[in-house]
């Protein structure tokens, strides 16, 4: 009896210890990134392109990478939305939610979700070579789209699954056209779409392995989709491998910028998520 | 419905226990039991005396708090921080919610039979042996004897003796429920609590379990939550009628069924609401 | 729309096909045994032995799983069996954030913290010299990266177990831990295995973070303090020059194909198991 109680206590303590450790690891990561990045984070960093001696530690910033990442992710989200949304509507409302077909589609997206970004990158790269394309913003957009389509589809699908049959039938009974019915459904799942976009942006903007192959890197801001584009993760990656300390410090500042973006995205996902669960009640 | 609920509030003569004392010893006493779940008042000042070695049926419309009450008896609400239980429950002379009382010790005294059979993910044999092993019975011979004895007690031995090592989920639902009963009996409880224990069974299997209850009341006190009046009429010695979290009437089965003291009970028995 | 819905399957097949076609020359020109089990990597001579890379990938993944699984299991059990709803609410953003941090940030963090600790504090006790960029550094960083995945899927697996089974055990007088040990863990064994398989496949493919801390040295690591060179890092590091050396491109695509096939198989298997668990809990 005493042994039983003792065992219970020890195990519970271990569980709490493990959970607290996980929390501490997160805080430690954030602490390191912030404390290392903050000293080098200047206004120039976010407002200027790299100038002549930037990679030797002279003037300039990483505006090219910030804007490059934003353009890249905007394009990718737009493309993947055009693919994901129709798929979700099809497998939930035109086909039966739990039909064999719909489940096979879900399953294949789950597998796509598990494929590492380096494979998407390599695949994108080979396709680009086949068509004679250079590393460019467009190439990056296509590769990142492949990466985020599974995330987007599955997270919209989760919300779409909770839309009940009578919500769809009500407008039909009232004599709505197909298009209007679709509008009603899209409005129903719009919080899910918001969450899906935020999640996809978070995943896409931070990924280095896809853009390494496909988007290239440049010191200027791309003006056409056929030009190469710099991205934040690669800015961090390349600057960190420099032997010059100032450049390394900028890598830390860039890491801080990326982390701040991720934190903001994560908090807004929570915010919208909570709003969503409230509207469900 | 609303009119009915007013009835109880206005009628202050709620003194339901009573003549149980005259004939049978009380086994479990409930005093001023209040339960709040998520701040809602689910059980209101319930007082009840469960007689020893009798079958007590708790009846009432769904949502009246029958199951909540039953789960208070073996402290199954403990792990849910949203459930607040106040009041007194005693088994014999022991305070179930006493500060020094070990919850496992209380639960051991009561075998619970859930609505759907809940076999553990192991063999038939291990299901019954689960409890005894928890209490440190290690010798194979002894464990085997307990398993055999309890499976016989629920009439399952002949049906399963050749496949004791096969997974319990392979049994039929009716067999599973009897296995759960045997499993509960193996820890040598004083009481059996049944939470609509036959509602998921077919009529034949249901009858078998009912017969077991009747047979077992010589040894155990039995408390059954049931929503089928007919079952209560068939096997109950005592009946408690609950409505909207209050205990409306309690007494010997014949009396409650034949001339209920309370208007609400009468209406429920007549089928005016359910 | 139906055509579009088959997009996912089409992409899956297309990736497999393209990678396979590009890796054909490597498969044709090399003895399969040599490809997998020798470590002679001389692109200029056309020698492609993936042994060291495959070994590195397995080694780093093994360390990551061994380090991540126990705390993840304990944490998931605590969250699903013990924690109050308030604790759960407070803790779930922790898991979300950990899984949301980009690989490159983990890489930066790893080079700032793990690498120097290994090089200065840990390694001197065991070996003569270590730069810190090592199998161990890769394993630690990877462990933290797959931890949130394991925790969140395990929580799903545990909550899929019907409440009645827990109550059955508790009402027989079992303590909570006895219930967890003898019933919950037993019931969720297949789910736990599926989760680990899924985590392994995630670990196999992780590129940038591991690349940044593992040293990228083409030799079989002798100890956890030696540098190593996992497959994804190999691909990422050499994409620039691969076009200029004949056969190199095909060899790298073979590496990608290998990753792809293994990960698809692992994913498909574990997802199917997890689906069944979820479905059973709903019915």
């Amino acid at each position: 009896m005493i042994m039983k109680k003792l065992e219970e206590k020890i195990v519970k303590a271990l569980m709490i210890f493990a959970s607290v450790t996980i929390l501490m690891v997160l805080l430690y990561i954030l602490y390191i990134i912030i404390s290392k990045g903050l000293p080098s984070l200047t206004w120039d960093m976010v407002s200027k392109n790299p100038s002549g001696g930037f990679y030797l530690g002279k003037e300039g910033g990483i505006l090219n990478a910030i804007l490059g990442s934003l353009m890249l992710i905007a394009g990718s989200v737009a493309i993947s939305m055009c693919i994901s949304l129709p798929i979700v509507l099809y497998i939930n409302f035109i086909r039966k939610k739990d039909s064999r077909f719909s489940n096979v589609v879900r399953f294949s997206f789950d597998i796509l979700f598990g494929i590492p970004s380096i494979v998407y990158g390599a695949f994108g790269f080979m396709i680009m070579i086949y068509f004679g394309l250079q590393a460019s913003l467009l190439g990056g957009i296509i590769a990142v789209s492949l990466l985020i389509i599974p995330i987007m589809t599955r997270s919209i699908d989760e919300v779409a699954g909770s839309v009940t049959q009578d919500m769809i039938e009500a407008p039909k009974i009232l004599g709505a056209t197909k298009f209007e019915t679709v509008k009603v459904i899209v409005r129903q799942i719009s919080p899910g779409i918001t969450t899906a976009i935020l999640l996809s942006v978070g995943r896409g903007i931070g990924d280095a392995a896809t853009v390494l192959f496909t988007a290239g890197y440049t010191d200027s801001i791309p003006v056409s989709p056929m030009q190469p584009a710099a991205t934040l993760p690669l800015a961090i990656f390349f600057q960190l491998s420099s032997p010059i300390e100032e450049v390394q410090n900028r890598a830390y500042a860039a890491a801080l910028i990326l982390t701040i973006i991720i934190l903001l995205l994560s908090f807004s996902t929570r915010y919208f998520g909570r709003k969503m669960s409230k509207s469900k009640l | 419905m609303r009119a009915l609920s007013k009835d109880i509030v206005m009628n202050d003569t709620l003194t339901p226990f009573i003549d149980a004392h005259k004939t049978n010893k009380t086994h479990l006493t409930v005093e001023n039991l209040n339960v709040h779940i998520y701040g809602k008042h689910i059980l209101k000042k319930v007082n009840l005396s469960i007689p020893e070695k009798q079958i007590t049926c708790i009846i009432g419309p769904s949502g009246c708090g029958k199951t909540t009450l039953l789960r208070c008896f073996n402290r199954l609400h403990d792990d849910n921080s949203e459930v607040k239980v106040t009041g007194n429950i005693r088994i014999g002379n022991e305070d179930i919610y006493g500060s020094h009382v070990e919850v496992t010790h209380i639960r051991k005294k009561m075998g619970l039979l859930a609505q759907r059979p809940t076999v553990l993910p192991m063999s038939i044999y291990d299901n019954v042996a689960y409890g005894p092993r928890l209490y440190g019975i290690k010798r194979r011979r002894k464990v085997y004897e307990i398993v055999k004895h309890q499976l016989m007690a629920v009439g399952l031995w002949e049906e399963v003796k050749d496949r004791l090592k096969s997974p319990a989920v392979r049994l039929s639902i009716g067999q599973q429920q009897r296995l759960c009963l045997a499993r509960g009996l193996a820890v040598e409880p004083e009481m059996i609590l049944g939470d609509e224990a036959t509602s998921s069974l077919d009529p034949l299997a249901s009858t078998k379990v009912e017969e077991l209850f009747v047979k077992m009341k010589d040894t155990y006190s039995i408390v059954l939550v049931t929503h089928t009046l007919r079952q209560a009429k068939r096997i109950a010695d005592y009946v408690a009628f609950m409505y909207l979290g209050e205990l409306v009437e309690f007494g010997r089965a014949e009396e409650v069924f034949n001339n209920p003291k309370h208007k609400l009970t009468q209406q429920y028995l007549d089928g005016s609401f359910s | 729309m139906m055509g579009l819905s088959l997009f996912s399957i089409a992409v899956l097949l297309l990736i497999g096909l393209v990678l396979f076609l590009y890796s054909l020359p490597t498969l044709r020109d090399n003895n399969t045994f040599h490809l997998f089990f020798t470590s002679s990597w001389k692109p200029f001579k056309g020698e492609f032995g993936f042994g060291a890379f495959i070994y590195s990938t397995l080694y780093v993944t093994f360390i990551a799983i061994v380090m991540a699984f126990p705390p993840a299991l304990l944490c998931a059990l605590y969250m699903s069996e013990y924690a109050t709803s308030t604790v759960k609410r407070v803790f779930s953003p922790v898991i979300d954030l950990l899984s949301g941090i980009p690989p490159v940030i983990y890489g930066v963090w790893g080079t700032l913290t793990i690498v120097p600790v290994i090089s200065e504090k840990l390694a001197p006790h065991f070996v003569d010299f270590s730069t810190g960029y090592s199998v161990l550094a890769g394993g630690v960083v990877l462990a933290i990266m797959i931890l949130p995945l394991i925790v969140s899927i395990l929580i799903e697996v545990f909550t899929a177990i019907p409440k009645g089974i827990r109550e059955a055990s508790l009402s027989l007088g079992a303590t909570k831990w006895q219930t967890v040990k003898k019933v919950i863990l037993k019931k969720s064994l297949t789910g736990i295995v599926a989760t680990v398989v899924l985590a392994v496949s995630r670990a196999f493919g992780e590129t940038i973070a591991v690349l940044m801390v593992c040293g990228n040295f083409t030799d079989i690591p002798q100890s956890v303090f030696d540098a190593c060179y996992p497959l994804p890092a190999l691909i990422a590091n050499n994409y620039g020059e691969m076009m200029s050396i004949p056969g190199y491109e095909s060899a790298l695509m073979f590496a990608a194909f290998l990753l792809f096939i293994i990960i698809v198989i692992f994913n498909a298997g574990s997802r199917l198991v997890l689906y069944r668990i979820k479905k059973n809990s709903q019915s």
Side-chain angles (χ1 to χ4, degrees), chain A residues 44-194:
Chain A
D44 275 9
M45 276 293 284
V46 294
S47 65
K48 281 194 179 147
N49 278 346
S51 58
F54 181 71
Y55 296 105
L56 298 168
K58 301 253 173 62
E59 294 270 286
I62 52 159
L63 182 66
N64 60 328
I66 297 174
L67 286 182
S69 268
L70 290 180
M71 287 180 198
L72 188 89
I73 200 66
S76 310
V77 166
I79 289 182
S80 29
M81 185 55 72
C82 294
I83 293 172
S84 297
L85 194 57
I87 294 176
V88 172
L89 293 179
Y90 184 76
I91 62 172
N92 278 289
F93 303 113
I94 296 179
R95 291 275 180 155
K96 283 236 165 60
K97 244 172 234 174
D98 44 7
S99 67
R100 206 184 171 77
F101 179 86
S102 301
N103 282 328
V104 168
V105 171
R106 281 191 193 105
F107 179 57
S108 59
F109 273 113
D110 274 345
I111 293 178
L112 279 181
F113 177 67
I115 290 178
S117 47
I118 187 81
V119 171
Y120 283 120
F123 170 71
F125 187 54
M126 284 342 259
I127 296 288
M128 283 164 58
I129 288 176
Y130 185 79
F131 288 108
L133 285 169
Q134 292 279 314
S136 61
L137 182 57
L138 181 66
I141 288 179
I142 292 171
V144 173
S145 298
L146 287 176
L147 179 76
I148 61 177
I149 284 171
I151 305 166
M152 193 168 259
T153 311
R154 290 304 268 126
S155 50
I156 303 178
D157 182 51
E158 250 166 53
V159 181
S162 63
V163 176
T164 54
Q165 201 61 32
D166 44 316
M167 282 185 201
I168 309 158
E169 266 153 22
K172 274 189 201 156
I173 293 163
L174 295 169
T177 61
K178 243 201 171 126
F179 177 67
E180 279 167 330
T181 315
V182 169
K183 263 188 6 198
V184 170
I185 293 172
V186 171
R187 199 171 312 139
Q188 281 286 343
I189 60 176
S190 63
I193 295 176
T194 317

